[in-house]
Amino acid sequence: MGRSNRAARSPEPVLTTGADGRTHAQGPLTRPVGSGLAELRPDRDRPHAWSLLIDGAPQSLVDLADPTHLGFEYQRRLGHLIDLVAPAGRPLTVLHLGGGALTLARYVAATRPRSRQQVAEIDTALTELVRAELPLERGWQIKVRGGDARSVLERTPEGTVDLVITDVFSGARTPAHCTTVEFTTLAARALAPGGWYAANIADGGALPFARSQVATLGAVFPELCLTADPAVLRGKRFGNLVLAAAHTPLPIADLTRRVASDSALGRVEHGRALADFTAGAAPATDATAAPSPEPPPGVFR
């Protein structure tokens, strides 16, 4: 889930998508999928870019002409982690939990050729829509599995993945069973030596969900950081927070420089500041977890 401009909805033209994907001349598209009403909206500023929304909540932005373009703030922050997890250009093995329009998988494929990627997306109708209208390039090694993120994670062989990215939303909320110590332990088990875990979450106000998620990751991993808009961290607005965790030190200085170079404001919290942010919050477990909070009305307008 991310922040995006909203455009007026217009009737869907009856046109056939070409081999290179849907064109702006075809206009917006709406279609029921398993998780709600999916909408593809043409981007106002980029002639080959599309936003994916589910029930009005922005999920992904894809530029068919430039898969390295990450239009949402949280996607750019995850992109920084993808860039830093290994030397530039080195192929990665990546497990994406939550697919959406496959924006981050496209980014990895474009910036790190020969990477092997698996995507868990429970909404198979959404995947079919994305593949048809926003097709992947031939030669990209991206395999999409139609299944629950946790179930796919449970079947992932131990020590085989360089990066696990969790971006799981049912509508605008992260399901409870993908927020727990047990879930995070499965992610840690899947990581190869030196691998990282990253998660996109959303919260607002006093950020109780985000604080609990930091505590949850801290119960499994010794190294943590959090990146978010300062306004979100101050409780001024509802928004995305990106967490990163590892068993080895994270490149905090490099990440901080990259976040500072973004057009959108961002701050990286780690160490003592992150411990103070957690403020005694309890880790979530399978017995105690709840979904992430519902966004306030009008947050996406």
Side-chain angles (χ1 to χ4, degrees), residues 46-195:
R46 303 179 72 90
H48 303 283
W50 295 86
S51 292
L52 168 68
L53 300 89
I54 304 292
D55 290 337
Q59 302 289 328
S60 305
L61 188 144
V62 168
D63 190 332
L64 293 173
D66 181 9
T68 68
H69 175 69
L70 300 176
F72 289 168
E73 297 169 14
Y74 87 87
Q75 290 177 337
R76 290 196 296 276
R77 289 163 186 159
L78 288 169
H80 296 324
L81 296 173
I82 292 167
D83 293 341
L84 291 169
V85 71
R90 198 194 86 182
L92 297 176
T93 301
V94 184
L95 175 60
H96 301 264
L97 302 175
L102 309 175
T103 304
L104 291 169
R106 298 169 199 264
Y107 181 82
V108 172
T111 60
R112 295 180 176 274
R114 303 184 306 283
S115 291
R116 299 177 62 187
Q117 302 185 77
Q118 183 176 180
V119 181
E121 175 53 66
I122 196 169
D123 191 338
T124 55
L126 175 60
T127 298
E128 291 171 3
L129 173 65
V130 168
R131 283 188 174 277
E133 303 293 339
L134 309 176
L136 301 172
E137 290 189 16
R138 293 177 181 176
W140 284 351
Q141 298 182 62
I142 301 173
K143 184 173 184 179
V144 184
R145 291 187 177 275
D148 175 76
R150 182 157 172 171
S151 296
V152 172
L153 187 57
E154 288 171 345
R155 298 194 299 271
T156 301
E158 183 175 356
T160 58
V161 180
D162 297 310
L163 180 61
V164 175
I165 300 175
T166 297
D167 189 15
V168 180
F169 283 86
S170 177
R173 305 181 74 183
T174 302
H177 71 292
C178 294
T179 68
T180 68
V181 170
E182 292 86 348
F183 178 89
T184 307
T185 300
L186 290 171
R189 174 182 172 275
L191 291 176

Side-chain angles (χ1 to χ4, degrees), residues 217-298:
L217 268 61
V220 178
F221 292 100
E223 302 291 335
L224 304 172
C225 71
L226 176 156
T227 305
D229 185 321
V232 174
L233 291 173
R234 292 194 301 267
K236 299 297 185 182
R237 72 170 178 86
F238 190 94
N240 295 83
L241 305 95
V242 170
L243 310 179
H247 288 293
T248 55
L250 295 163
I252 300 299
D254 287 341
L255 178 61
T256 300
R257 282 192 291 270
R258 287 172 181 258
V259 170
S261 71
D262 284 342
S263 57
L265 289 175
R267 193 167 81 211
V268 178
E269 298 283 14
H270 63 98
R272 178 59 183 271
L274 189 57
D276 291 344
F277 171 83
T278 306
T285 68
D286 283 350
T288 63
S292 64
E294 190 80 47

